[in-house]
């Protein structure tokens, strides 16, 4: 697959350089470059995409909704606080309507949103820089690696897409549409509130300077509140209380957003610089945007993602293999433990997701004296705790301090992959061992 990435970039580079002198007046030529930039971005996403553990928090909520248990992390406990409501809805719909795998749906939707960012970056730049607008598409395609490695399946690409859409709506003079899009951005990431406020302030400032009517900020605010107010009312009604505090988004990587906005700015600067240089002269001179040095520089910057993609391949394979192991362990717990069992995944959301909706996820935390422990949720002490969600290279018979007095260590060997250590609550240890040891892949090996 990395070879396909090189081929995609070479094709993009060849076409861009060949047709560049005609991109200013040839919309079809610009369209070809944008299409090839989309192909490059698509291959780049497939090559480096890895799903972070935080994304599985949303996936567990989504599966519970799709299966009819409601917007909860653990059945029987309504926990409020997801900051990416819109992304949760979009991820849930394919699973609820067609039974599509939630992780697959999230990754595909994320890739689609990333490709949409390439298109919107081009359209936004085209409003200010016709010929050089494809520079924004080229640079955004290269920067899309930041939306895939460690962020696949998250709301980040959708958030960037909505930010670009808000900017485009404001530039086109559609404040009502911009307000709706800003509300969707807030519903996608909690820090979208900053974008929403900035958009309103910009429209107010424009109205104060008499460059536009006051309908602009009023329409923007109306468009935002039409979506935000029902959302806030639903949250307060569904969870029985108003949101006590604004939750932080799980992923705080702004690299893709900043690079995309910078790509649009660079494209506009190239066009404006060319206009200043194109003064009357006895000898006609090409503008900066028409010179092949512009696509060369843009293509070189875009190509930076190619060696980076090659360099992270070992990490990508390791993360995908670790996630596959977590999936196997989660399915093992789902199949061997009875429904309703309370387990502690040590904060690993992927393991909690793979263990199934009917597993109650909780934890153990110190509370007062060293020999007293309280569950994070109200389901009681977990019957099983998994300190690691993947296989270790060697058998580990140690036990964490907070589990030492009430739990016993049990180790299982997975042929060809390694060892799994779990903690079993002492009063149900023998029953759990009988249930877990019946699996053909994992063999119980007592600690020496």
């Amino acid at each position: 697959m990395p070879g396909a990435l090189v081929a995609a970039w070479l094709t993009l580079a060849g076409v861009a350089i060949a047709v560049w002198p005609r991109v200013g007046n040839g919309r079809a030529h610009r369209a070809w470059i944008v299409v090839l930039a989309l192909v490059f971005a698509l291959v780049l996403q497939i090559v480096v995409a890895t799903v972070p553990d935080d994304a599985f928090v949303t996936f567990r909520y989504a599966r519970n909704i799709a299966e009819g248990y409601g917007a909860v992390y653990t059945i029987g406990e309504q926990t409020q606080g997801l900051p990416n409501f819109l992304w949760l809805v979009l991820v849930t719909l394919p699973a609820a309507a067609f039974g599509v795998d939630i992780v697959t749906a999230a990754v595909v939707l994320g890739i689609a949103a990333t490709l949409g960012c390439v298109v919107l970056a081009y359209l936004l730049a085209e409003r200010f820089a016709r010929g050089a607008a494809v520079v924004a598409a080229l640079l955004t395609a290269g920067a899309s690696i930041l939306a895939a490695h460690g962020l696949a399946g998250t709301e980040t690409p959708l958030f960037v897409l909505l930010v670009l859409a808000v900017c485009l709506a404001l530039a086109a003079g559609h404040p009502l549409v911009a307000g709706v899009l800003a509300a969707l951005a807030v519903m996608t990431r909690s820090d979208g509130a900053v974008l929403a406020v900035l958009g309103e302030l910009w429209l107010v400032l424009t109205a104060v300077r008499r460059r536009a009517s006051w309908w602009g900020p009023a329409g923007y605010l109306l468009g935002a509140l039409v979506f935000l107010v029902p959302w806030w009312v639903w949250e307060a009604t569904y969870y029985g209380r108003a949101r006590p505090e604004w939750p932080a988004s799980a992923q705080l990587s702004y690299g893709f957003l900043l690079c995309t906005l910078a790509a649009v700015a660079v494209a506009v600067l190239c066009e404006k610089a060319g206009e200043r240089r194109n003064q009357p002269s006895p000898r006609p001179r090409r503008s900066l945007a028409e010179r092949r040095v512009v696509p060369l520089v843009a293509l070189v910057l875009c190509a930076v993602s190619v060696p980076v993609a090659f360099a992270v391949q070992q990490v990508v394979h390791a993360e995908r293999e670790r996630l596959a192991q977590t999936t196997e362990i989660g399915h093992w717990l789902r199949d061997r433990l009875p429904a309703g069992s309370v387990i502690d995944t040590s904060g690993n959301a992927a393991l909690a997701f793979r263990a199934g909706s009917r597993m109650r996820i909780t934890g153990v935390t110190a509370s007062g004296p060293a020999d007293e422990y309280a569950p994070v949720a109200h389901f009681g002490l977990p019957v099983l705790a998994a300190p690691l969600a993947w296989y270790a290279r060697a058998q580990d018979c140690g036990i964490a301090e907070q589990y030492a007095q009430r739990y016993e260590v049990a180790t299982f060997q997975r042929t060809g992959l390694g060892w799994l250590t779990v903690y079993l609550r002492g009063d149900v240890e023998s029953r759990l061992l009988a249930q877990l040891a019946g699996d053909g892949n994992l063999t119980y090996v007592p600690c020496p």
Side-chain angles (χ1 to χ4, degrees):
M1 203 63 184
L5 182 63
V6 175
W9 183 85
L10 290 175
T11 304
L12 172 62
V15 172
I17 293 174
V19 305
W20 191 262
R22 299 184 292 278
V23 295
N25 299 316
R27 192 175 185 88
H29 296 105
R30 297 198 297 271
W32 273 110
I33 297 176
V34 172
V35 168
L36 291 174
L38 289 172
V39 172
F40 174 77
L42 174 61
V43 177
L44 184 60
Q45 298 286 296
I46 295 173
V47 170
V48 303
T50 55
V51 183
D53 185 69
D54 287 336
F56 287 89
V57 175
T58 302
F59 299 163
R60 186 170 168 87
Y61 272 90
R63 185 173 57 194
N64 283 336
I65 295 174
E67 294 180 356
Y69 299 116
V72 296
Y73 188 73
T74 296
I75 300 172
E77 180 189 35
Q78 289 184 303
T79 303
Q80 184 182 18
L82 266 184
N84 54 356
F85 175 78
L86 179 61
W87 183 245
L88 171 64
V89 172
L90 293 178
V91 169
T92 303
L93 286 176
F98 308 106
V100 177
D101 178 71
I102 290 175
V103 179
T104 302
V107 172
V108 171
L109 287 172
I111 291 175
T114 302
L115 299 181
C117 291
V118 176
V119 175
L120 282 190
Y122 166 75
L123 294 176
L124 182 58
E126 193 180 35
R127 297 198 63 85
F128 308 99
R130 184 177 60 180
V134 292
V135 170
L138 293 174
L139 296 178
T140 302
S144 65
I145 190 174
L146 300 174
H149 184 58
L151 287 174
T154 69
E155 72 279 2
T156 297
L158 176 63
F159 179 72
V160 176
L161 181 70
L162 289 170
V163 170
L164 293 174
V166 170
C167 294
L168 185 59
L170 290 174
H174 300 300
L176 181 63
V177 176
V180 171
L181 293 170
L184 296 179
V186 175
M187 296 165 70
T188 301
R189 282 179 63 100
S190 56
D191 40 10
V194 177
L195 166 70
V197 171
L198 289 177
E200 179 69 14
L201 290 177
W202 186 82
L203 288 171
V204 169
L205 182 62
T206 303
V208 169
R209 293 182 175 181
R210 301 181 184 277
R211 295 180 181 178
S213 69
W214 282 96
W215 158 245
Y220 179 90
L221 183 61
L222 176 64
L225 292 179
V226 163
F227 282 81
L228 291 178
V229 171
W231 174 44
W232 290 332
V233 171
W234 172 83
E235 273 203 340
T237 304
Y238 184 82
Y239 293 107
R241 62 188 182 280
R243 186 185 290 265
E245 60 182 8
W246 199 265
S249 294
Q251 297 292 332
L252 298 177
S253 175
Y254 296 99
F256 183 48
L257 173 62
L258 295 177
C259 286
T260 301
L261 294 177
V264 175
V266 168
V268 175
L269 289 175
C270 286
E271 188 72 19
K272 299 305 180 183
E275 291 176 358
R276 289 196 299 269
R277 290 173 58 89
N278 196 21
Q279 301 296 327
S281 172
R283 297 180 60 187
R285 294 180 297 179
R286 290 178 297 173
S287 68
L288 177 63
E290 294 175 334
R291 297 181 181 181
R292 283 194 172 92
V293 65
V294 173
L296 282 173
V297 173
L299 287 166
V300 168
L301 292 175
C302 177
V304 171
S305 60
V306 176
V308 172
F310 276 88
V312 300
Q313 280 305 290
Q314 186 174 357
V315 176
V316 169
H317 290 313
E319 291 181 358
R320 291 176 178 175
E321 175 61 27
R322 179 171 289 185
L323 184 57
Q325 293 178 12
T326 300
T327 299
E328 182 177 273
I329 296 170
H331 289 171
W332 173 63
L333 295 175
R334 179 197 64 190
D335 297 337
R336 308 309 302 180
L337 295 178
S341 296
V342 182
I343 63 174
D344 177 9
T345 63
S346 300
N348 190 284
L351 183 60
F353 173 76
R354 295 302 186 186
S357 297
R358 297 193 176 185
M359 292 295 144
R360 293 177 171 179
I361 308 302
T362 182
V364 176
T365 56
S367 59
D371 60 345
E372 294 182 10
Y373 301 95
V376 172
H378 60 270
F379 302 116
L381 282 173
V383 297
L384 178 147
L388 278 182
W390 49 86
Y391 299 116
R393 293 183 179 180
Q395 184 182 26
D396 182 9
C397 292
I399 186 169
E401 181 181 355
Q402 64 267 36
Y403 300 95
Q405 297 192 18
R406 296 189 180 183
Y407 290 81
E408 301 295 333
V409 178
T411 58
F412 296 81
Q413 186 175 24
R414 177 65 164 92
T415 304
L417 292 178
W419 293 82
L420 175 66
T421 298
V422 294
Y423 305 149
L424 307 180
R425 205 173 70 197
D427 58 331
V428 292
E429 178 191 9
S430 57
R431 175 173 61 83
L432 290 177
L433 276 178
Q435 294 170 339
L436 297 173
D439 187 86
N441 292 326
L442 286 161
T443 304
Y444 171 62
V445 180
C447 288

